[in-house]
Amino acid sequence: MKKIKLLIYGFLAVVVTAACDKDLLDIPNPNEPTTETFWQTEDDAQKGLNAAYSRFYKEGTWMRWLSFRYDLGSDEGWSTSPWNELADWTRFNYVNYNFWEGNRVHWEDFYVGIFRANQVLKFTPDIAFADDVDKERVIGQAEFLRALWYFQIAVLWEKGALVLEPKDASYKPEEVTEEALWAQVEIDLKNAYAKLPPEWDDSNTGRATIGAAKALLAKAYMQQGKFAEAKAELQWLIDKEGSLYGLVDDYMDNFTHFNENNIEGVFEIQFNDENKGGTGNGASMATGFQRTQFYAPGGIGWQDGKARSWLVGEYKKETNLDGGNDTRLYHNLYYKNSPNDFPDLPASIYGRAWDDAGWGEHMFIRKYSTNYYRDFEDYFAPNNYRIIRYADVLLMYAECIVETGGSPMEALPYVNKVRQRPSTNLPALENSVHADALSSGEKFLKRLQMERSLELCFEGWRWADLKRWGLLSSQAGIDELKSRDADFNNFILGKHHRLPIPQIEVDNAEGKLTQHLEY
């Protein structure tokens, strides 16, 4: 079975019952299970874990709004949405800290995901399993998921509540530092990869693996400047190249539903279009990828998110070995001159020619669109979202080599593997117009910043990358970003590198969770 069948169990939340006759309380209602009556069997634990995975199918995650923070908030994209408040949250105009689509939805979805993972971690150890290995794997997956959510909290807000067991509605969250959040991410991921398998059978495709946990841990280390530790974790994946991991020949195979969970996918959200409901907790809740509807050109989608034009220029600074433009440009963006730049590839998008009146000179995000097989968009795109790809692993590994004192020549083969993918077919870096990048570690790392964007644009890592490279914490960095993205003219140094805590959370915490001073 290609997809995990994720079930929604709203009854996993702690049920607060009103006072009534004790004898009545002793009669379990099979239609309304409570925490006390539910967590009894191995099947219960598996269902609880599936409910934790199901948080991927919420608007505040990669399903819809999170890319507005990570992609459109970075220098790669921007928003021209007529919904001004939505667009303002991609250009650092934060007025209402409780704005749902820009801030609160992320906080809520992450912490509900943490709550569900915490339930699994609290109750599963006391449940008897036919095979203890299966129990360990349930626990390991919950640890991975909790770490994944705390990773986002650390990147976006840099502080938050550290909740490690399920709490009821009376709980008042108490803040911890960014360092404490990263420390917990490290603990969870180390515990997770000790329990997880290197791969799953077909009926469990999409679940967290050792490689997923190690790759995410490497990312957490890198965000903290712990490059030696990150390199050691990435080494495990590098050593599995050719068996568990590798690069697919066709770059586009990473973004369609025709070749999902391939050798390049380290961790993917298993989207599909089987359910076409809303995003509540019902059995028919939507399980499709919804970003595509918001990024598609007008008349097809809402065109709320677009690409910055500098990307086109960067791609076109060099040609491939056939003398043509880098085909990643074609697969990642769609713009007015795209048919001329790629005369041998289909000129239309969604079966349409360029709409001069409606689309003007804008640059649209083609990556993850469903243009490759249909002529419309909706809220039910079936293509998996690849949170971590092996190409990302290779580029991270190259960065860690140089950051730990290695030479650019030592790191070069890992960058070249990405550049020389058969469908990309660029010259080796040392034979390219960017060969000077090999003259020093500093120049190599600067070139690597661009190599990552050209390979990984609109895949949700650019904001974390900008933070790690210090571009959001120095005036020189902001000036560089301004040259590519006019929205950074609104960026206030020392403030906008992190989001404000949703004010309602601060108010409800009764002093235990405080707002960032700059807000």
Side-chain angles (χ1 to χ4, degrees):
M1 183 173 61
K2 186 168 77 77
K3 306 286 186 182
I4 304 172
K5 300 299 183 182
L6 298 178
L7 306 176
I8 309 303
Y9 289 88
F11 54 73
L12 294 181
V14 175
V15 176
V16 181
T17 56
C20 56
D21 185 85
K22 182 179 184 299
D23 289 339
L24 292 178
L25 286 175
D26 289 338
I27 301 174
N29 182 345
N31 297 316
E32 295 182 6
T34 65
T35 299
E36 291 73 20
T37 63
F38 177 73
W39 295 93
Q40 304 296 320
T41 68
E42 179 176 343
D43 185 58
D44 292 340
Q46 294 286 0
K47 288 176 178 176
L49 178 63
N50 286 344
Y53 273 105
S54 76
R55 211 62 199 172
F56 288 138
Y57 304 111
K58 295 297 176 185
E59 297 100 316
T61 71
W62 293 271
M63 187 186 203
R64 185 188 297 185
W65 297 123
L66 192 53
S67 63
F68 278 65
R69 305 284 75 72
Y70 289 154
D71 298 322
L72 303 190
S74 80
D75 57 335
E76 290 179 346
W78 64 309
S79 178
T80 56
S81 175
W83 184 0
N84 288 331
E85 192 167 23
L86 181 68
D88 273 345
W89 275 74
T90 69
R91 51 194 178 222
F92 313 110
N93 292 330
Y94 310 145
V95 178
N96 172 18
Y97 299 168
N98 290 326
F99 179 54
W100 180 254
E101 289 78 6
N103 204 23
R104 278 185 63 197
V105 68
H106 306 305
W107 185 278
E108 176 171 308
D109 284 344
F110 298 165
Y111 274 106
V112 172
I114 290 166
F115 173 77
R116 292 185 179 183
N118 282 340
Q119 286 190 310
V120 176
L121 293 170
K122 179 177 178 63
F123 297 113
T124 299
D126 295 329
I127 296 175
F129 275 60
D131 186 339
D132 283 342
V133 171
D134 292 336
K135 177 190 282 193
E136 288 292 287
R137 289 179 174 182
V138 167
I139 293 171
Q141 290 173 79
E143 289 167 332
F144 172 85
L145 292 171
R146 184 168 70 180
L148 182 63
W149 297 130
Y150 274 125
F151 187 108
Q152 315 314 316
I153 293 167
V155 168
L156 286 176
W157 294 283
E158 298 186 356
K159 71 175 180 179
L162 185 61
V163 190
L164 301 179
E165 60 181 33
K167 300 290 187 179
D168 64 25
S170 66
Y171 172 70
K172 302 298 180 184
E174 187 168 353
E175 71 182 46
V176 299
T177 64
E178 180 184 5
E179 291 75 17
L181 293 173
W182 286 126
Q184 187 59 47
V185 170
E186 292 177 18
I187 290 169
D188 277 344
L189 291 173
K190 289 176 184 177
N191 288 337
Y193 72 60
K195 301 179 180 76
L196 295 172
E199 57 186 337
W200 292 89
D201 61 29
D202 289 346
S203 65
N204 287 289
T205 296
R207 295 186 182 276
T209 61
I210 295 174
K214 283 183 171 288
L216 186 61
L217 179 56
K219 284 184 173 291
Y221 280 140
M222 291 175 74
Q223 289 304 121
Q224 301 172 80
K226 299 179 179 180
F227 293 101
E229 294 89 337
K231 183 173 179 287
E233 299 300 340
L234 293 170
Q235 187 69 57
W236 188 91
L237 291 94
I238 296 293
D239 290 343
K240 300 296 185 294
E241 184 174 317
S243 56
L244 289 179
Y245 300 110
L247 298 178
V248 294
D249 288 346
D250 189 344
Y251 179 72
M252 187 60 179
D253 278 345
N254 291 302
F255 313 110
T256 78
H257 68 294
F258 294 145
N259 192 16
E260 296 172 331
N261 303 301
N262 57 50
I263 196 170
E264 191 163 341
V266 177
F267 188 69
E268 306 183 12
I269 299 178
Q270 305 295 304
F271 286 124
N272 63 62
D273 57 359
E274 294 175 13
N275 288 350
K276 298 185 183 295
T279 53
N281 287 327
S284 64
M285 65 173 286
T287 52
F289 186 34
Q290 298 185 352
R291 187 184 90 173
T292 59
Q293 174 72 6
F294 290 84
Y295 286 7
I300 301 167
W302 309 135
Q303 62 176 1
D304 286 314
K306 298 188 178 79
R308 284 295 185 185
S309 61
W310 66 266
L311 279 166
V312 176
E314 284 296 331
Y315 278 114
K316 294 176 69 173
K317 283 183 177 179
E318 60 179 321
T319 58
N320 60 30
L321 293 177
D322 297 322
N325 289 310
D326 186 341
T327 55
R328 293 177 301 181
L329 169 57
Y330 176 86
H331 293 305
N332 291 336
L333 286 82
Y334 182 67
Y335 52 100
K336 187 173 184 178
N337 204 46
S338 182
N340 294 327
D341 287 342
F342 298 95
D344 297 329
L345 293 172
S348 63
I349 187 167
Y350 300 98
R352 305 187 190 191
W354 188 263
D355 180 354
D356 284 311
W359 303 349
E361 300 297 324
H362 287 167
M363 310 279 173
F364 294 98
I365 301 167
R366 192 198 295 258
K367 179 175 281 184
Y368 279 121
S369 77
T370 60
N371 155 73
Y372 62 91
Y373 86 103
R374 64 182 185 177
D375 60 5
F376 65 91
E377 283 292 358
D378 57 23
Y379 290 93
F380 313 108
N383 30 343
N384 284 3
Y385 186 87
R386 283 71 163 177
I387 292 182
I388 305 176
R389 292 195 284 121
Y390 188 65
D392 189 359
V393 169
L394 290 169
L395 296 175
M396 287 192 292
Y397 192 69
E399 184 174 344
C400 288
I401 288 173
V402 176
E403 288 284 7
T404 55
S407 69
M409 291 304 295
E410 184 183 352
L412 177 63
Y414 304 98
V415 177
N416 279 342
K417 285 182 180 182
V418 176
R419 289 174 56 87
Q420 296 184 295
R421 184 198 303 268
S423 68
T424 305
N425 196 29
L426 290 175
L429 186 61
E430 65 270 27
N431 299 324
S432 75
V433 296
H434 307 296
D436 185 58
L438 298 173
S439 63
S440 71
E442 182 180 2
K443 288 183 178 180
F444 181 85
L445 289 173
K446 196 62 185 176
R447 179 60 208 166
L448 192 57
Q449 293 180 10
M450 194 57 66
E451 294 287 338
R452 283 187 61 81
S453 189
L454 299 182
E455 174 69 19
L456 302 169
C457 61
F458 311 114
E459 293 183 45
W461 290 113
R462 184 65 171 178
W463 185 258
D465 286 350
L466 295 177
K467 294 190 79 169
R468 181 173 73 257
W469 298 328
L471 294 179
L472 301 181
S473 56
S474 70
Q475 189 58 55
I478 297 305
D479 289 343
E480 178 183 333
L481 296 173
K482 285 180 182 179
S483 71
R484 298 195 288 259
D485 184 345
D487 286 344
F488 278 88
N489 288 307
N490 301 324
F491 189 98
I492 298 175
L493 197 63
K495 178 178 182 178
H496 290 136
H497 60 288
R498 58 191 179 187
L499 294 178
I501 306 295
Q503 193 60 42
I504 191 171
E505 300 294 339
V506 174
D507 295 341
N508 289 341
E510 298 178 355
K512 292 185 176 182
L513 177 65
T514 62
Q515 186 59 265
H516 292 301
L517 292 177
E518 63 270 22
Y519 286 104

